[in-house]
Amino acid sequence: MKKYEEFINALQYVDQGDNKSAYDKLTELINDNLELENKTLYYDALYARASLDIANLNLHIDDSIEDLKILIANRTRYVKESYSLATLVYDHLEMPDEVIEYGTKALELDAPFTSEIAYALAKAYASRGTKNSYLEALKYIDTCIDNADASQLHKVTDIIGRTAYKSNI
């Protein structure tokens, strides 16, 4: 019960707007043999720490990616979300091969952020610079359009123009 209370206490720092302290407390909890004591809480803490860093801090991206990979490899309840977040992080880091690897799997799993993942995939394929990759990018643009809300469509039109021009469609 003590570890669960520590987990809740760490999350309370987020409510107070102190994301760095929350991250540090989650890290302490994870490093204190949590994996051996309570696997479920360990996975909850990994997901919370990775999500917190990705959404708010961006100070420990390599660690966050490793957390997501652990969650994926162990087929936790966070698999879908982990594929989505990994895709978006790799997109931000401009790593198209990883975007394609994780994003394709995220869409197969019907993971959250479908429109954002499709957009990242479209950019990743377009970055390869071949006619076939541009055509593949256009497929993901269709997915993006189907799932985008009105505020996201301006991004899509930009990549449509660039992709269509480069592929001579």
Side-chain angles (χ1 to χ4, degrees):
M1 188 65 164
K2 182 179 182 289
K3 297 287 186 187
Y4 180 76
E5 290 171 3
E6 290 178 36
F7 177 70
I8 296 302
N9 288 338
L11 295 180
Q12 288 177 347
Y13 283 103
V14 175
D15 291 339
Q16 299 166 6
D18 188 356
N19 295 322
K20 185 180 179 331
S21 292
Y23 185 93
D24 292 343
K25 291 296 181 185
L26 288 167
T27 300
E28 286 175 24
L29 183 62
I30 289 165
N31 291 339
D32 190 23
N33 293 319
L34 182 60
E35 181 179 15
L36 300 175
E37 294 178 31
N38 185 334
K39 282 256 195 229
T40 302
L41 190 57
Y42 172 69
Y43 295 141
D44 290 346
L46 284 177
Y47 182 72
R49 181 173 76 169
S51 299
L52 179 63
D53 184 55
I54 292 165
N56 299 297
L57 299 172
N58 289 312
L59 298 174
H60 312 278
I61 292 298
D62 291 338
D63 292 333
S64 297
I65 290 171
E66 287 307 310
D67 290 350
L68 296 173
K69 287 180 177 181
I70 290 169
L71 295 168
I72 290 168
N74 288 285
R75 300 175 192 225
T76 67
R77 64 183 172 149
Y78 300 107
V79 167
K80 291 180 180 183
E81 293 85 354
S82 296
Y83 272 109
S84 292
L85 290 175
T87 303
L88 299 175
V89 168
Y90 285 129
D91 179 49
H92 177 73
L93 296 173
E94 297 181 3
M95 298 173 72
D97 293 337
E98 289 79 2
V99 169
I100 291 168
E101 176 185 349
Y102 286 87
T104 302
K105 187 67 175 174
L107 291 181
E108 286 173 12
L109 293 172
D110 197 27
F113 309 114
T114 301
S115 184
E116 292 86 350
I117 291 168
Y119 180 69
L121 282 165
K123 290 192 312 182
Y125 276 105
S127 74
R128 289 186 167 174
T130 67
K131 183 170 183 168
N132 285 339
S133 65
Y134 290 131
L135 293 172
E136 193 67 27
L138 289 171
K139 292 177 191 174
Y140 286 106
I141 290 171
D142 282 344
T143 302
C144 188
I145 290 170
D146 290 343
N147 292 285
D149 61 34
S151 67
Q152 296 169 320
L153 288 176
H154 72 281
K155 289 186 199 175
V156 178
T157 57
D158 179 50
I159 198 168
I160 288 172
R162 285 185 284 135
T163 303
Y165 172 76
K166 289 179 180 177
S167 64
N168 295 320
I169 297 175

